[in-house]
Amino acid sequence: MKILTRQSILPHRLTLISSISFGVLRKLGPRRWFSAHSEEPELKELMEYMDSLKNYEKMGVPKGAGTDSDDGFDLGRMRRLMERLGNPQSQFKAVHIAGTKGKGSTAAFLSNILRAEGYSVGCYSSPHIQTIRERISLGRFGEPVSAKTLNCLFLQIKKILDQAIEHENGRISHFEIFTAMAFTLFARENVDIAVIEAGLGGARDATNIISSSGLAASVITTIGEEHLAALGGSLESIAMAKSGIIKHGCPLVLGGPFLPHIECILRDKALSMSSPVVSASDAGNQSTIKGISRMNGRPYQSCDLVIQIERDFKLFLELLDVKLCMLGSHQLQNAATATCAALCLRNLGWRISDGSIRAGLERTFLLGRSQILTSKETEALGLHGTTVLLDGAHTKESANALVKTIKMTFGEAPLALVVAMASDKDHVGFAREFLSGGELEVVLLTEADIAGGKSRTTSASLLRDCWIQASKELGIDIVHDDTTKSREVFNNLVVCSASKLENGTILATESSLMASLKATNQILRERTGNQSGIIVVTGSLHIVSMVLAALSG
């Protein structure tokens, strides 16, 4: 393992030490990779079929693929596939959700609100954490579709899928096929309403085949700089791509807050489509977090949620002391966005009570979103007495939100990170948010397969370079092994203990996740005198998946 630390006179310091193995880390034993949770044997044929298709989650999305241009995905291909299947998307009403961040959580909140009212709901989201079945939930209880149901559908429509793939010269993708399967299931199960999360962008996304007659409402949560190349290269082009889900005469719910000129793009598109707009960020809406408490060993945030909309629609709701298991101010904003969507549906004639909104918000929980492991789970990982938080944050915006959530939940508790990221993310921006957000005891940079492959995996050494760059941009002096000062440090650390590095963050690289977790825990304990600390596993939902796979394996 390569260990990097930092020395500086600044309050928050990063020390860099290269090519030294801590004695404390030599005791970790053999390295091994966590493997992703294997799918059920019943789905073997389906998964082999899906693995034979082009998977942009695994290989990365081509430049301009999400834009409404000649470079964009061919939505006509998806329409032709759906025609072969009998256009199941025309047989149910849907809420379509797009956005850079928050769309999965908003979809979960809204789905649970509708289920609490007694509706049979189909929910389609991506990516999954442990099993592909998580992407499709059916009915009144929100359970993932069963392996039996999914496999039966696949066997029934396989011949149609084969014909479509041949007709399109093999261009149909993994996401297109699974989206078609989800919509077919929703039609066959006769769901009352479907909540559909867009995959990439909106205009050319495979989910954007829902007509205005089938759309109950569209939702755009946030606009950020993720997938810049695929979505046109600017915030403005991203906003235009995501505005492609707005349909004529159908209400648009905005999450936000947005930059003023970005909100103008979205509102102008809605105006051109004669679509009324409801904004969760309107001045009349007041959402506040009053405090953090625990119930059954898990934290929740007590919130007041007041929605008062006067523009386009007149909507009002006041919910006090809502207990949200989804932590952070960003999750409260997602809850407010889902609530606005529910109120919008109520205005259109859907039966949705205030009590169902409360119940749906309070029962929502998602893996890998500020998920705190139980003491039993941390012990199973060999991290006794340590609190472990899993969060799939992978942009600078989500890193900022996570930093705020950690501070709100744990205060000044000693903090360590274990980070793995995909190659197409802003690694420097991500690191900058954490380094500027407060004191870090240790950061372990590791690696995780992305969507089951290595082509989009970022090496731990490259992540290290990005964290060093971020520290330089923040004005932090880095000690490295090319300087006289650092060589003196190295010579004096023949037997190095983490506790001797009293100040500054330790930055380390380790390709094995198992070794990373154990090393982080041991360093954290040595540096804090066995004081209870927090380990946050983040940077990707894929590293979260690997931790959860280790628990279920």
Side-chain angles (χ1 to χ4, degrees):
M1 174 179 292
K2 303 262 180 143
I3 301 296
L4 308 154
T5 70
R6 106 176 139 138
Q7 287 184 342
S8 167
I9 60 172
L10 297 176
H12 180 54
R13 297 183 283 179
L14 176 69
T15 308
L16 172 63
I17 301 177
S18 298
S19 304
I20 287 188
S21 297
F22 281 114
V24 68
L25 301 181
R26 295 190 185 112
K27 305 172 185 177
L28 292 177
R31 300 175 180 179
R32 69 176 180 89
W33 278 96
F34 284 166
S35 61
H37 182 63
S38 58
E39 295 287 350
E40 295 88 339
E42 195 169 358
L43 295 179
K44 183 175 184 295
E45 185 178 354
L46 169 61
M47 295 314 300
E48 288 176 351
Y49 190 89
M50 298 297 293
D51 287 343
S52 71
L53 302 172
K54 192 173 292 186
N55 187 346
Y56 293 110
E57 292 177 35
K58 184 181 293 186
M59 62 193 292
V61 184
K63 184 177 180 179
T67 60
D68 196 10
S69 67
D70 291 341
D71 295 325
F73 287 128
D74 180 9
L75 204 56
R77 181 172 62 228
M78 188 66 186
R79 292 193 180 99
R80 291 188 291 273
L81 171 59
M82 299 309 289
E83 285 175 8
R84 289 176 179 271
L85 291 167
N87 286 316
Q89 77 278 8
S90 65
Q91 298 176 40
F92 52 83
K93 286 287 187 179
V95 176
H96 199 189
I97 303 178
T100 303
K101 304 302 300 178
K103 55 186 182 290
S105 297
T106 301
F109 279 128
L110 180 57
S111 296
N112 282 327
I113 289 170
L114 292 164
R115 291 184 186 113
E117 188 61 47
Y119 290 111
S120 174
V121 181
C123 184
Y124 181 58
S125 62
S126 60
H128 61 273
I129 302 288
Q130 292 180 284
T131 167
I132 198 169
R133 296 189 294 106
E134 295 168 19
R135 299 186 180 213
I136 303 173
S137 61
L138 291 164
R140 291 181 170 84
F141 303 105
E143 295 296 325
V145 61
S146 70
K148 180 179 180 180
T149 298
L150 196 57
N151 190 56
C152 285
L153 173 68
F154 169 65
L155 295 177
Q156 289 168 9
I157 67 173
K158 182 177 180 298
K159 187 174 292 186
I160 296 174
L161 300 180
D162 289 340
Q163 292 169 352
I165 291 170
E166 182 179 0
H167 183 263
E168 301 292 347
N169 297 316
R171 294 190 182 94
I172 296 182
S173 70
H174 180 288
F175 187 75
E176 288 167 333
I177 290 291
F178 209 70
T179 300
M181 291 181 66
F183 288 4
T184 302
L185 270 177
F186 295 161
R188 292 190 177 191
E189 295 292 325
N190 197 29
V191 299
D192 296 314
I193 190 168
V195 178
I196 309 294
E197 178 190 344
L200 175 77
R204 293 296 185 91
D205 189 72
T207 60
N208 198 29
I209 52 171
I210 303 163
S211 66
S212 57
S213 62
L215 187 68
S218 55
V219 180
I220 299 177
T221 56
T222 58
I223 300 293
E225 292 183 344
E226 192 174 13
H227 303 300
L228 264 176
L231 294 174
S234 70
L235 276 179
E236 292 78 10
S237 65
I238 291 173
M240 286 301 301
K242 295 186 187 299
S243 72
I245 69 167
I246 302 171
K247 300 294 191 301
H248 190 272
C250 299
L252 168 65
V253 177
L254 295 177
F258 302 95
L259 294 171
H261 74 287
I262 296 299
E263 183 163 346
C264 280
I265 290 173
L266 302 177
R267 286 187 176 274
D268 287 348
K269 179 62 179 290
L271 182 63
S272 72
M273 304 294 284
S274 301
S275 296
V277 179
V278 171
S279 174
S281 298
D282 273 1
N285 299 338
Q286 300 294 324
S287 301
T288 57
I289 299 173
K290 300 194 296 183
I292 300 288
S293 301
R294 286 186 172 265
M295 183 168 52
N296 299 324
R298 291 188 182 274
Y300 68 86
Q301 56 190 24
S302 180
C303 308
D304 288 346
L305 189 61
V306 179
I307 305 295
Q308 188 167 359
I309 306 288
E310 299 291 342
R311 190 173 169 181
D312 288 0
F313 285 144
K314 288 191 179 297
L315 306 174
F316 178 79
L317 176 73
E318 182 180 68
L319 293 177
L320 305 180
D321 295 319
V322 179
K323 297 177 176 60
L324 289 186
C325 298
M326 304 276 278
L327 303 179
S329 58
H330 60 299
Q331 291 295 0
L332 177 56
Q333 180 66 14
N334 292 333
T337 303
T339 299
C340 284
L343 293 176
C344 203
L345 292 176
R346 184 160 77 183
N347 194 73
L348 295 173
W350 293 78
R351 183 192 70 254
I352 303 174
S353 69
D354 291 1
S356 292
I357 294 175
R358 176 188 291 275
L361 296 177
E362 291 187 338
R363 72 176 53 164
T364 299
F365 171 79
L366 288 176
L367 295 174
R369 278 76 163 186
S370 298
Q371 177 186 355
I372 298 175
L373 298 185
T374 64
S375 56
K376 183 177 180 180
E377 289 169 331
T378 57
E379 288 174 6
L381 293 173
L383 309 177
H384 304 277
T386 300
T387 298
V388 177
L389 184 149
L390 309 180
D391 194 282
H394 54 270
T395 68
K396 60 185 180 182
E397 293 85 3
S398 55
N400 179 270
L402 179 55
V403 167
K404 292 177 180 176
T405 301
I406 293 167
K407 286 183 177 180
M408 179 186 70
T409 309
F410 301 109
E412 299 301 319
L415 178 63
L417 304 180
V418 177
V419 179
M421 300 186 74
S423 59
D424 55 352
K425 307 304 176 187
D426 180 3
H427 307 125
V428 175
F430 186 87
R432 194 186 301 115
E433 293 296 331
F434 279 103
L435 289 173
S436 62
E439 191 76 22
L440 294 171
E441 296 293 338
V442 57
V443 178
L444 253 293
L445 304 169
T446 187
E447 298 168 7
D449 288 359
I450 306 298
K454 299 186 184 300
S455 61
R456 290 179 60 217
T457 298
T458 304
S459 68
S461 60
L462 179 58
L463 283 179
R464 171 199 62 201
D465 295 342
C466 292
W467 280 73
I468 294 170
Q469 180 183 335
S471 68
K472 289 180 178 178
E473 291 178 0
L474 292 169
I476 298 168
D477 294 330
I478 297 179
V479 180
H480 53 82
D481 57 1
D482 287 336
T483 67
T484 302
K485 183 178 180 182
S486 63
R487 277 195 295 272
E488 292 173 358
V489 173
F490 298 154
N491 292 336
N492 291 331
L493 291 177
V494 177
V495 178
C496 183
S497 169
S499 60
K500 294 181 180 179
L501 295 169
E502 295 179 358
N503 296 307
T505 300
I506 298 175
L507 183 65
T509 60
E510 170 56 66
S511 60
S512 163
L513 179 56
M514 173 68 83
S516 295
L517 288 169
K518 289 187 176 181
T520 301
N521 190 48
Q522 207 153 351
I523 294 171
L524 191 59
R525 286 191 165 279
E526 284 217 3
R527 300 201 77 194
T528 62
N530 281 327
Q531 181 183 348
S532 180
I534 315 298
I535 295 177
V536 178
V537 181
T538 189
S540 162
L541 282 172
H542 302 284
I543 188 174
V544 169
S545 173
M546 292 169 73
V547 174
L548 294 175
L551 290 172
S552 60

